[in-house]
């Protein structure tokens, strides 16, 4: 009966529109079996990682942890899992990051408590759970099952699944649970500080009807958003075989101060008015954008493409330029290039002398589909052509 109840909850999780990345260490291993054995697992599970050894955990965190089993560790794992889920998820999909760390019964007696910590992160909140188990009451397998049950119940709650089941905890093993919500301003502060990798605003009416797993991204400062941006992305979509169209702003600039929360919100409002999806990231460089949005196509002007292939921006080294763009290529990313004035001459991709090694990354948008050259700087000065 218990296994049937667990299966029903997992089926309900798989039927929800939410995807997740799960990082586990020290227990709850049976939860992965339940998630993966019930049909529909690919609807939910993007990736599961078990960093069990010290070196594996160090590589995940990017540092040596002070304490392996704590709420802070579970929170950090959940945040990493959430950012990873943003990278792996389908365009427009809501995601969760799940972090679990435990110290359970083992082959030798333990002096400390048998306990575990669980954290689940979404865009606007974090759920925390800690449980101390009665020492000696259960075998390792039984403790792992209890921890797995608590994890599945927490995922169900985060997915707004109402069905539940008995976790196997006794009356004295009361979970310590909390839920913390973040305002939009707090989320954006976390993004600027580098905690969150991106935040997506799903303003498009067809956000849940994307005809492809990859994103077609037009990056920019959008100060202001204008007709040229809109028509360039529209033209780019016409030369793509499917994909989810969206715009992207980096809150962090390479050679200027980061945008303030107020500035970000003002620029985002432009897209809300038009019903266009906008992503706010913290990556100003294309090689980092490629890591954050693998498999995506970036829509750029010929002037930006010219800078991308100019060794001047790679410490004067053509070899370094090819290495960096080669890394972008290995993420599956491409560049869709619209015609722009370059040094006073209107050029398209074929006019730029792109090196053969990376030429297949750059796809020109035909001039019969797009031929505009609008400057945001001039629009700010002249107040013309601004979308409002």
């Amino acid at each position: 009966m218990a296994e049937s109840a667990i299966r029903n909850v997992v089926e309900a999780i798989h039927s929800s529109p939410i995807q997740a990345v799960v990082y586990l260490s020290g227990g709850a291993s049976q939860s992965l079996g339940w998630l993966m054995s019930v049909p529909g697992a690919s609807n939910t599970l993007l990736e599961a990682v078990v960093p069990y050894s010290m070196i594996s955990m160090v590589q995940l965190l990017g540092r040596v942890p002070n304490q392996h089993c704590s709420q802070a560790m579970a929170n950090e794992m959940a945040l990493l899992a959430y950012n990873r889920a943003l990278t792996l998820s389908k365009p427009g999909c809501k995601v969760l990051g799940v972090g679990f760390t435990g110290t359970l019964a083992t082959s030798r007696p333990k002096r400390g408590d048998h306990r575990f910590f669980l954290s689940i992160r979404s865009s606007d909140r974090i759920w925390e759970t800690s449980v101390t188990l009665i020492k000696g009451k259960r075998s390792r397998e039984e403790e792992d099952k209890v921890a797995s049950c608590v994890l599945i119940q927490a995922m169900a709650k985060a997915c707004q699944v109402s069905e539940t089941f008995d976790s196997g905890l006794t009356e004295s093993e009361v979970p310590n649970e909390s839920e913390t919500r973040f305002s939009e301003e707090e989320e954006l502060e976390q993004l600027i500080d580098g905690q969150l990798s991106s935040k997506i605003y799903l303003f498009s009416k067809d956000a849940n009807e994307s005809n492809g797993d990859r994103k077609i991204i037009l990056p920019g400062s959008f100060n202001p958003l204008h007709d040229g941006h809109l028509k360039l992305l529209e033209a780019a979509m016409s030369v793509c075989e499917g994909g989810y169209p969206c715009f992207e702003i980096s809150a962090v600039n390479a050679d200027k101060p980061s945008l303030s929360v107020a500035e970000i919100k003002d620029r985002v409002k432009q897209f809300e008015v038009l019903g266009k999806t906008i992503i706010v990231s913290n990556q100003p460089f294309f090689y980092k954008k490629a890591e954050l949005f693998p498999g995506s196509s970036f829509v750029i002007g010929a002037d930006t493409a010219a800078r991308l292939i100019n060794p001047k921006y790679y410490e004067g080294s053509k070899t370094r330029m090819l290495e960096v763009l080669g890394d972008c290529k290995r993420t599956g990313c491409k560049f869709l290039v619209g015609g722009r004035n370059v040094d006073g001459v209107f050029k398209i991709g074929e006019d730029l002398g792109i090196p053969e090694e990376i030429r297949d990354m750059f796809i020109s948008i035909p001039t019969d589909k797009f031929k505009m050259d609008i400057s945001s700087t001039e629009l700010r000065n002249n107040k013309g052509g601004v979308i409002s």
Side-chain angles (χ1 to χ4, degrees):
M1 182 66 69
E3 297 298 326
S4 176
I6 293 170
R7 182 184 179 89
N8 289 340
V9 171
V10 173
E11 285 179 344
I13 291 173
H14 290 341
S15 296
S16 77
I18 298 175
Q19 297 182 302
V21 167
V22 180
Y23 289 163
L24 308 178
S25 183
S29 61
Q30 293 174 61
S31 65
L32 295 182
W34 297 336
L35 286 169
M36 297 175 71
S37 63
V38 173
S42 61
N43 295 336
T44 303
L45 199 58
L46 295 166
E47 182 176 84
V49 177
V50 183
Y52 222 74
S53 72
M54 167 65 85
I55 299 300
S56 180
M57 183 61 78
V58 168
Q59 288 189 332
L60 176 68
L61 301 177
R63 64 176 183 85
V64 177
N66 297 322
Q67 187 177 5
H68 281 273
C69 188
S70 67
Q71 190 65 62
M73 174 66 77
N75 291 353
E76 187 172 355
M77 293 170 69
L79 183 58
L80 290 168
Y82 175 74
N83 283 327
R84 179 66 172 161
L86 289 173
T87 293
L88 299 178
S89 61
K90 292 181 178 180
C93 185
K94 294 181 179 179
V95 299
L96 298 173
V98 181
F100 174 97
T101 180
T103 175
L104 306 180
T106 185
S107 56
R108 61 186 184 280
K110 286 187 175 179
R111 286 180 292 181
D113 291 331
H114 294 189
R115 64 190 189 278
F116 60 84
F117 300 89
L118 171 67
S119 178
I120 297 183
R121 174 66 199 242
S122 71
S123 64
D124 64 350
R125 69 193 70 188
I126 184 170
W127 294 268
E128 299 173 308
T129 304
S130 63
V131 176
T132 299
L133 300 170
I134 297 174
K135 200 170 181 178
K137 178 177 175 60
R138 304 176 182 87
S139 66
R140 168 63 185 230
E141 183 178 5
E142 290 168 338
E143 287 189 351
D144 187 273
K145 183 174 182 179
V146 169
S148 296
C149 286
V150 173
L151 186 150
I152 293 297
Q153 287 179 329
M155 283 189 67
K157 180 180 179 180
C159 293
Q160 298 183 324
V161 170
S162 58
E163 299 172 70
T164 188
F165 55 88
D166 182 9
S167 66
L169 292 172
T170 67
E171 291 184 358
S172 62
E173 296 171 321
V174 180
N176 183 10
E177 299 176 308
S178 67
E179 177 181 335
T180 303
R181 300 195 181 200
F182 304 111
S183 66
E184 179 186 3
E185 289 76 12
E186 288 173 320
E187 288 180 66
L188 292 174
E189 287 287 2
Q190 291 171 5
L191 189 145
I192 294 168
D193 292 342
Q195 297 177 54
L196 295 182
S197 61
S198 65
K199 175 176 173 58
I200 185 168
Y201 290 85
L202 297 171
F203 295 140
S204 300
K205 295 179 180 179
D206 58 349
N208 296 317
E209 300 176 4
S210 170
N211 61 346
D213 287 344
R214 64 180 179 139
K215 301 178 181 75
I216 313 301
I217 302 173
L218 174 56
S221 59
F222 305 112
N223 185 27
L225 173 66
H226 56 66
D227 285 339
H229 295 132
L230 301 175
K231 291 179 179 177
L232 177 56
L233 184 56
E234 182 181 336
M237 290 301 299
S238 72
V239 301
C240 291
E241 296 179 359
Y244 183 77
C246 49
F247 298 84
E248 183 255 349
I249 297 173
S250 176
V252 178
N253 290 303
D255 51 8
K256 299 177 183 178
S258 298
L259 297 178
S260 67
V261 169
E263 287 174 321
I264 295 171
K265 292 180 69 175
D266 282 344
R267 296 190 194 184
V268 165
K269 284 178 183 176
Q270 300 174 102
F271 298 89
E272 183 176 16
V273 170
L274 297 175
K276 303 294 183 182
T277 291
I278 175 70
I279 300 171
V280 183
S281 81
N282 59 10
Q283 298 297 347
F285 300 108
F286 274 104
Y287 74 96
K288 287 294 186 180
K289 293 182 194 291
E291 293 175 2
L292 187 57
F293 308 114
S296 296
S297 292
F298 294 99
V299 185
I300 60 177
D303 53 338
T304 299
R307 288 193 296 272
L308 271 178
I309 62 172
N310 190 339
K312 168 185 173 182
Y313 300 100
Y314 303 85
E315 300 176 347
S317 171
K318 180 180 178 180
T319 299
R320 178 60 181 154
M321 178 269 290
L322 291 175
E323 287 176 354
V324 171
L325 292 181
D327 288 342
C328 291
K329 184 176 180 178
R330 280 184 282 276
T331 68
C333 289
K334 292 185 179 296
F335 296 100
L336 304 177
V337 183
R340 287 293 302 272
N341 280 331
V342 180
D343 298 327
V345 179
F346 188 86
K347 292 185 178 182
I348 59 174
E350 285 82 355
D351 301 323
L352 301 176
I354 300 170
E356 184 177 354
E357 297 94 326
I358 54 173
R359 193 172 297 159
D360 59 347
M361 291 179 66
F362 294 81
I363 301 170
S364 285
I365 299 172
T367 53
D368 63 343
K369 294 184 179 294
F370 179 82
K371 190 174 182 180
M372 296 179 70
D373 195 25
I374 301 175
S375 165
S376 293
T377 302
E378 291 179 5
L379 287 178
R380 286 196 301 273
N381 294 334
N382 300 329
K383 303 294 185 182
V386 179
I387 304 295
S388 59

